[in-house]
Amino acid sequence: MNNRILIKNILLFVFPLLIPVFILGSFAIVITDKYIKESITANNRNVLQQLEQQTNTVLNEMYLLNLDYNWNPDITLSLRNFFDSEHFNYLDIKMIDYEEGNLRRKEIATSYIHSMYIYYENDNDRVLTSRSGFMNIANMHDDAWLEEYDAKSTNRAIWMKNRQISQYDFEKEEPVISIYRNIFNSNAQTSEGLIVLNIYQSYFENLISELNNYHNQSIFVLDKTNTKLYGNSISEELAFDEEVTDNPKQTFEVQINGTSFIVSQLQSDLYPLRYYSMVENSIIYRVPNQLLFLTVLFVLSSLILGTATIYYLSRKNARHVGDIIKILNTSDQKEKDLIKHISFKDNEYQYIVRRILKHYIAQNELEKELNEKKYELQSAELLALQNQINPHFLSNTLAIIYWRAMALTGKPNKVTKMVETLTDILSFSLRIKHHTVTLEEEMNNTKNYLEILRVRSDKDFRITWDYHEDKLSVQVLKFILQPLIENSIQHGIDYESKLSQIDIKIKIRKKEEGVIRFTVIDNGQGISKSELSKLRQKLDKDEYATNHIGLANINKRLSLIFNNQFTFIIKSKQLYGTVITIEHPIGYGEEPGDMVKPLISQKRNGIKRDG
């Protein structure tokens, strides 16, 4: 029993604990994973967008150069003349100095520009540089840029190359990104010159290092031929293939040399460039995975701790329930003896068990009392059956006496009247076998008794009835009025006085709560306080050893039939009279004991019993 209760309680508490933990844990994992992916995508895209903005700012320098040296006719015509002229006058030299200074100032004003070359095709092989001014290409240490010039080219877009350049032989070469753009006349179909803008690669590397969000994050830029233009040092170690460059998605995962990478790419809208960010999956998810691990560990720890707590409490409760069941199965011991053996002290279980035991023991006592009363009723019924023989004999004998008396006088007389009344009383006793009768039947029987009593008594008494005609059909206790009236006459009349007379009032009322009340009032001798006290004590103890046999009989029958759900009050004052009040539930039973059964489950309805 205890093991079954223990398992039931554990399952009852663990499963409700598991359901929210599982649901909340699943939601937390899914939402966290989704949030992390969105956050990673947003962060990488933000980095690439900032890199694109900075790159566009640099490329816009080429746009400004193109406006000056391709579209400004004053500058283009002057420079073409300088490139083609063999001799220069003073104004030409002043103009040359101005153009050299203008180009030089642009280089100095912009920290990321290494140098700039302006070349128009000419027979003198002259070029304008930001560092050395006008010079012959043959005298330039860096002349590899000229290989990008194609007089037949129709390309009007920019293109970019990675190069290593220096101005002099003794200088260390620096890595630059050279940006090229062809120069066209307004109506020219092919290129007539070239603009070269050299940008420090270190500028982009420093920019990328400032934008870097993750450890070992690779950030780089590819041109339309998938050639890497620039990137950070980590990207140099990374060998990517078509799986990266040909994927159209903005964010995706790839496997490179057995390592999983999160790749984010951004396609430039203005230039043929693509910006990439590649981070190892394990690096991005390191902190989230640690948080997830700690969350799972915390949930499991909470679950284990909760299960252990539930197991402890369930085991304790199962033991308590087992003790309660054991106590309930023991009915012969008293409450104090039962509580001595319980496994819990001074807690809520002890209070509950005390209340249960109190009602349980009271119920057992009530059942025992009911069984005893049923036995007494059965014994009384058996005795009544046995005693029916003599009343039947007496009834037949009275009938013979009635007809003999009638034969002697030839007409009804006092004897026949008395015999007839006595016969009706005996008939009432034998005919009605139930414990309750209608009020009308009870009153008729009482009136028959009073007629006989008037004949046999030499003392005068006066009876007053007070009742309602519409209540004559209610069920009342059989033989309830006769003993009360007999008690008033027997004990109330002063037999030593010849003028003694007693008035008796019988008042019958039905109360609203389904209760009938009988009140018998007389102005007889009354009862002294001491005798009244003794009488009440004997009636409370259900003793018949009293000279008030009728009252004891009524009290006993009320107790057996109505299970103490009645009121029996005796009030008396010597020389003033006596008042007896009886209340009991209105009965509807048809069989002996029917009035008892429903009363077992009823609560005490407040009817007090006095007497």
Side-chain angles (χ1 to χ4, degrees):
M1 174 65 75
N2 288 355
N3 292 334
R4 187 166 70 250
I5 295 174
L6 176 62
I7 294 173
K8 180 180 178 181
N9 285 346
I10 291 176
L11 294 178
L12 183 64
F13 287 102
V14 169
F15 273 105
L17 177 65
L18 284 175
I19 292 173
V21 168
F22 177 77
I23 295 176
L24 294 178
S26 301
F27 272 111
I29 292 173
V30 171
I31 292 174
T32 302
D33 184 68
K34 181 180 179 182
Y35 172 76
I36 290 173
K37 288 183 177 180
E38 292 177 352
S39 177
I40 291 170
T41 301
N43 289 338
N44 289 337
R45 188 167 184 82
N46 183 48
V47 169
L48 297 181
Q49 286 177 345
Q50 293 184 53
L51 181 59
E52 180 194 22
Q53 291 175 0
Q54 295 296 329
T55 303
N56 290 344
T57 300
V58 173
L59 296 178
N60 284 340
E61 295 293 337
M62 173 58 78
Y63 176 76
L64 296 176
L65 291 175
N66 183 62
L67 290 179
D68 287 339
Y69 299 105
N70 194 9
W71 294 98
N72 191 326
D74 294 335
I75 296 177
T76 57
L77 291 175
S78 298
L79 289 179
R80 286 178 184 275
N81 291 331
F82 295 150
F83 284 138
D84 292 333
S85 296
E86 296 293 338
H87 304 284
F88 303 104
N89 56 30
Y90 177 75
L91 292 177
D92 292 335
I93 294 174
K94 294 290 288 184
M95 181 60 68
I96 290 172
D97 289 340
Y98 173 77
E99 293 298 335
E100 290 178 346
N102 186 38
L103 196 61
R104 179 61 178 168
R105 284 191 294 273
K106 288 183 179 181
E107 175 193 331
I108 295 172
T110 310
S111 60
Y112 49 78
I113 296 179
H114 176 275
S115 58
M116 293 175 285
Y117 307 148
I118 308 298
Y119 172 72
Y120 293 100
E121 187 176 2
N122 61 90
D123 296 334
N124 296 321
D125 291 334
R126 290 173 180 168
V127 62
L128 175 60
T129 66
S130 59
R131 290 196 172 187
S132 301
F134 282 97
M135 63 183 302
N136 194 280
I137 296 176
N139 296 329
M140 292 182 67
H141 184 264
D142 174 30
D143 58 0
W145 58 270
L146 192 59
E147 297 175 359
E148 298 294 323
Y149 175 66
D150 182 6
K152 297 179 181 181
S153 174
T154 59
N155 181 18
R156 294 178 179 270
I158 66 171
W159 70 96
M160 305 170 69
K161 297 288 184 179
N162 288 326
R163 298 196 305 135
Q164 300 280 340
I165 64 174
S166 64
Q167 188 175 0
Y168 305 103
D169 292 336
F170 57 84
E171 283 185 348
K172 182 180 178 181
E173 290 185 342
E174 291 189 74
V176 298
I177 298 174
S178 294
I179 305 171
Y180 301 94
R181 184 160 188 168
N182 289 320
I183 298 177
F184 295 87
N185 282 331
S186 59
N187 296 322
Q189 299 297 322
T190 59
S191 175
E192 295 181 345
L194 186 65
I195 301 174
V196 182
L197 175 61
N198 298 314
I199 306 296
Y200 290 105
Q201 275 197 15
S202 58
Y203 168 77
F204 291 104
E205 293 175 356
N206 294 334
L207 178 62
I208 290 174
S209 64
E210 293 177 359
L211 298 175
N212 194 3
N213 284 334
Y214 302 101
H215 178 66
N216 289 340
Q217 182 179 13
S218 298
I219 300 177
F220 52 91
V221 181
L222 302 182
D223 62 10
K224 63 182 179 180
T225 62
N226 293 332
T227 301
K228 187 173 75 172
L229 297 177
Y230 59 88
N232 56 4
S233 58
I234 303 298
S235 64
E236 301 295 333
E237 305 172 1
L238 194 62
F240 51 88
D241 52 14
E242 290 80 5
E243 188 177 359
V244 176
T245 58
D246 295 344
N247 197 317
K249 296 181 180 179
Q250 292 184 350
T251 302
F252 53 92
E253 291 189 21
V254 295
Q255 291 282 339
I256 300 177
N257 298 328
T259 304
S260 179
F261 289 85
I262 301 293
V263 180
S264 298
Q265 68 170 334
L266 177 65
Q267 177 70 49
S268 176
D269 296 330
L270 300 178
Y271 303 101
L273 301 176
R274 282 180 293 171
Y275 302 86
Y276 285 89
S277 168
M278 296 181 63
V279 190
E280 290 185 23
N281 201 324
S282 59
I283 294 176
I284 290 180
Y285 286 98
R286 179 178 300 167
V287 174
N289 287 339
Q290 291 176 352
L291 292 176
L292 180 60
F293 173 76
L294 292 176
T295 301
V296 173
L297 182 63
F298 173 76
V299 170
L300 291 177
S301 301
S302 301
L303 185 60
I304 293 172
L305 182 62
T307 304
T309 304
I310 291 172
Y311 174 78
Y312 170 76
L313 294 177
S314 298
R315 186 177 180 183
K316 183 179 179 181
N317 290 344
R319 186 169 67 253
H320 294 341
V321 172
D323 289 342
I324 293 174
I325 294 174
K326 183 178 179 182
I327 289 172
L328 294 179
N329 290 333
T330 305
S331 59
D332 296 334
Q333 301 184 39
K334 295 182 179 179
E335 181 179 352
K336 293 182 179 179
D337 297 332
L338 291 174
I339 295 178
K340 289 181 180 178
H341 305 290
I342 60 178
S343 59
F344 38 86
K345 302 292 183 180
D346 299 329
N347 57 22
E348 64 277 7
Y349 281 100
Q350 186 173 9
Y351 173 77
I352 293 172
V353 169
R354 286 184 181 274
R355 300 294 297 179
I356 292 175
L357 288 177
K358 183 176 180 180
H359 292 287
Y360 181 72
I361 294 172
Q363 182 70 17
N364 284 343
E365 292 178 352
L366 184 61
E367 290 180 359
K368 290 180 180 179
E369 183 180 351
L370 175 61
N371 292 332
E372 292 175 357
K373 289 183 178 181
K374 284 184 177 180
Y375 176 76
E376 292 180 0
L377 284 174
Q378 291 173 354
S379 299
E381 290 175 1
L382 179 60
L383 181 61
L385 289 174
Q386 294 174 350
N387 292 336
Q388 279 185 359
I389 299 174
N390 290 334
H392 275 291
F393 173 76
L394 292 176
S395 178
N396 294 333
T397 302
L398 287 175
I400 294 172
I401 295 173
Y402 174 83
W403 291 110
R404 292 288 177 88
M406 178 72 75
L408 290 175
T409 61
K411 62 179 180 180
N413 51 59
K414 290 185 178 182
V415 175
T416 59
K417 180 62 176 176
M418 189 172 182
V419 171
E420 184 180 2
T421 303
L422 182 58
T423 302
D424 290 340
I425 294 175
L426 288 174
S427 178
F428 177 78
S429 301
L430 297 175
R431 177 174 53 84
I432 302 176
K433 302 181 181 296
H434 305 317
H435 297 290
T436 60
V437 295
T438 65
L439 178 59
E440 184 177 12
E441 291 173 330
E442 177 65 19
M443 290 176 61
N444 290 335
N445 180 69
T446 304
K447 291 177 181 179
N448 288 333
Y449 168 75
L450 290 174
E451 288 186 12
I452 293 177
L453 200 60
R454 290 185 185 278
V455 174
R456 55 175 276 193
S457 177
D458 57 352
K459 296 293 184 179
D460 190 18
F461 57 86
R462 185 166 50 196
I463 304 297
T464 303
W465 293 89
D466 182 2
Y467 63 93
H468 295 156
E469 294 287 341
D470 58 343
K471 300 298 186 294
L472 293 176
S473 60
V474 300
Q475 293 284 326
V476 300
L477 182 65
K478 185 178 179 182
F479 290 124
I480 192 172
L481 293 176
Q482 176 187 330
L484 299 180
I485 296 173
E486 183 178 6
N487 182 79
S488 296
I489 294 175
Q490 181 178 353
H491 299 282
I493 295 178
D494 185 4
Y495 289 95
E496 295 180 358
S497 174
K498 294 182 180 182
L499 300 178
S500 176
Q501 179 181 339
I502 187 171
D503 293 331
I504 301 173
K505 181 178 181 180
I506 303 171
K507 184 178 180 180
I508 304 171
R509 290 290 186 272
K510 179 183 176 183
K511 300 177 68 175
E512 294 182 356
E513 56 269 23
V515 175
I516 191 76
R517 174 187 289 172
F518 298 93
T519 305
V520 178
I521 307 170
D522 67 65
N523 59 350
Q525 295 296 311
I527 308 173
S528 65
K529 288 185 178 180
S530 59
E531 291 298 325
L532 181 60
S533 178
K534 292 178 181 179
L535 174 60
R536 287 173 176 172
Q537 291 177 3
K538 290 180 179 181
L539 292 178
D540 284 337
K541 295 179 181 180
D542 291 337
E543 294 183 0
Y544 285 100
T546 173
N547 53 356
H548 297 272
I549 300 297
L551 299 183
N553 179 278
I554 293 176
N555 182 70
K556 185 65 175 180
R557 286 190 296 122
L558 287 170
S559 177
L560 288 173
I561 295 175
F562 298 106
N563 196 33
N564 295 330
Q565 305 294 312
F566 66 94
T567 299
F568 195 156
I569 301 175
I570 302 176
K571 296 181 179 180
S572 184
K573 188 173 182 181
Q574 198 167 13
L575 302 179
Y576 284 90
T578 302
V579 178
I580 299 177
T581 302
I582 296 177
E583 295 179 358
H584 70 72
I586 296 175
Y588 298 93
E590 296 296 334
E591 297 295 335
D594 282 354
M595 295 300 297
V596 178
K597 294 176 183 178
L599 291 171
I600 294 173
S601 60
Q602 291 180 356
K603 295 182 180 178
R604 297 292 175 120
N605 58 9
I607 300 178
K608 65 178 181 177
R609 175 173 178 261
D610 189 358

